[in-house]
Amino acid sequence: MAQAHSMGKRYVKAFFKGFFVAVPVTVTFLDRVACVARVEGASMQPSLNPGGRQASDVVLLNHWSIRNYDVQRGDIVSLV
């Protein structure tokens, strides 16, 4: 019984170590490299949400290109 308690304690400790490493890495990635966003409404039709669908499109916002000034004609730029 004591051995099972020790194993459980070790797994919980490993989970929290991984959690406290994964959260800052994920936040940094989403802030500096890229993040995912939903596009809803008619403002981007017909390129996104064609045909007046009720479903939203999902796009990848590339922060890396903006930081390197790699924006070209025809790119869609999102401002917050």
Side-chain angles (χ1 to χ4, degrees):
M1 185 72 161
Q3 188 178 13
H5 180 67
S6 173
M7 290 276 287
K9 197 173 185 181
R10 186 169 34 169
Y11 285 126
V12 169
K13 188 176 178 182
F15 171 78
F16 281 113
K17 277 186 178 180
F19 180 78
F20 287 121
V21 169
V23 169
V25 169
T26 303
V27 169
T28 302
F29 179 83
L30 293 175
D31 187 43
R32 299 289 180 184
V33 179
C35 67
V36 177
R38 287 184 356 182
V39 177
E40 298 174 329
S43 64
M44 291 301 296
Q45 285 179 344
S47 297
L48 300 171
N49 293 336
R53 294 181 304 163
Q54 295 298 328
S56 60
D57 285 342
V58 178
V59 294
L60 179 71
L61 301 177
N62 186 350
H63 299 273
W64 197 263
S65 292
I66 298 298
R67 292 189 191 284
N68 294 331
Y69 302 104
D70 189 23
V71 181
Q72 299 169 357
R73 185 180 186 128
D75 288 348
I76 297 174
V77 178
S78 171
L79 302 175
V80 178

